[in-house]
Amino acid sequence: MADLFDMELRALRRDRAARTGPELFLLERAFADCLERIALAQRGFASALLIGCPDARWKDRLAEVAATVDVVDPGRLFAEAAGGEQFVEDARPLAAGSHDLVLAVGTLDTVNDLPGALRLVRAAMRPDSLFIGAMSGGETLPRLRQAMRAADEVSGAASPHVHPRIEGSALAPLLAAAGFGIPVVDVDRVQVTYGSLRRLVADLRAMGATNVLTARSRRSLSPTAAAAAAAAFERAADGARTVETFEILHFAAWTESAGQR
């Protein structure tokens, strides 16, 4: 069975965002929210792992609650900027029992084996440790999906443009199945207004969040299909601008304490 996501392209997309300057408004929102939730635990951590680091300053901010911070990122340039390592979350294990805090922001929605990635994270964690993070959810980008359907109608053939994402109701059971306890999932729906489809696509490109599906079309949209997509996006406008939705799934779970084993 072919992989859903093209991991090499995923890394290249993140590298392109690193070179041109990443768009961080959604990712920063998610990261800052995670830091607030970590603070509610009212404890310090000995060794943190940050999975996904589009802003090298995140490492220092996480270091305020952890004695040491390791960084991994699917993109080589983001990883190097933070003194970390390029890493694919479901591809190979981390050092067993090496961290008591793992924070993952913005990458787990594009792994081919999410249950496997969660199990690998669990194996890397110590007893009584916190796994927290944020990822894109299933109700993300409804206006873009609508626009791409309009393009496909003009083209006469359907092609995958926007990748599927996990529903919030499915994430807590996956965390439990991976061996985490007390899983909690909250949904943050962020609405952003856009004057054009072109502006939305530019933001997605700067987030490293454009199409990385293995089954994607290798051809650009024809001028007619692109015009149909742009028109459909603009028809959804509330006044002069279209409101697009980004769904962020915030999650947190703990490993069992040594006394519970």
Side-chain angles (χ1 to χ4, degrees):
M1 183 176 178
D3 287 340
L4 179 62
F5 299 109
D6 182 333
M7 292 291 100
E8 182 178 354
L9 181 62
R10 178 190 186 221
L12 291 174
R13 294 275 199 256
R14 292 181 75 84
D15 283 350
R16 178 177 63 185
R19 286 193 299 270
T20 59
E23 177 54 75
L24 295 173
F25 71 95
L26 283 176
L27 295 167
E28 173 58 31
R29 178 188 180 108
F31 179 74
D33 188 280
C34 288
L35 290 183
E36 291 179 3
R37 294 171 189 238
I38 292 170
L40 293 175
Q42 295 185 328
R43 57 166 281 187
F45 296 90
S47 178
L49 174 66
L50 176 58
I51 302 175
C53 188
D55 184 342
R57 294 170 294 183
W58 284 9
K59 180 178 180 179
D60 293 333
R61 291 162 66 186
L62 188 56
E64 295 178 7
V65 297
T68 65
V69 178
D70 296 321
V71 174
V72 295
D73 193 283
R76 179 181 61 83
L77 296 182
F78 281 148
E80 290 179 353
E85 177 184 0
Q86 187 176 12
F87 187 80
V88 178
E89 302 91 320
D90 60 351
R92 63 181 174 85
L94 297 155
S98 54
H99 298 92
D100 58 356
L101 172 64
V102 176
L103 171 56
V105 178
T107 70
L108 289 177
D109 59 301
T110 49
V111 293
N112 285 307
D113 181 8
L114 179 57
L118 296 179
R119 289 193 297 270
L120 291 175
V121 169
R122 173 63 187 86
M125 297 181 69
R126 302 169 186 167
D128 194 26
S129 298
L130 175 61
F131 179 36
I132 190 168
M135 60 194 294
S136 182
E139 295 186 23
T140 295
L141 300 174
R143 299 306 185 191
L144 177 60
R145 295 174 191 273
Q146 179 182 347
M148 291 301 99
R149 285 195 293 270
D152 286 344
E153 288 176 5
V154 169
S155 299
S159 178
H161 301 285
V162 183
H163 71 73
R165 294 169 167 88
I166 189 170
E167 298 295 330
S169 60
L171 184 52
L174 283 182
L175 288 164
F180 291 98
I182 326 175
V184 176
V185 177
D186 298 323
V187 179
D188 179 19
R189 292 187 180 91
V190 184
Q191 294 190 321
V192 184
T193 60
Y194 287 98
S196 68
L197 179 59
R198 184 185 299 274
R199 182 61 255 177
L200 168 61
V201 172
D203 271 3
L204 294 175
R205 186 174 291 118
M207 295 176 197
T210 49
N211 191 351
V212 295
L213 289 166
T214 301
R216 71 194 180 279
S217 173
R218 268 55 173 182
R219 296 181 179 178
S220 300
L221 293 178
S222 69
T224 303
F233 189 79
E234 290 168 7
R235 281 197 300 273
D238 179 9
R241 300 174 68 84
T242 297
V243 179
E244 185 58 286
T245 300
F246 296 86
E247 182 179 76
I248 303 173
L249 303 182
H250 286 274
F251 62 87
W254 291 84
T255 61
E256 64 186 6
S257 66
Q260 293 176 306
R261 293 185 170 184

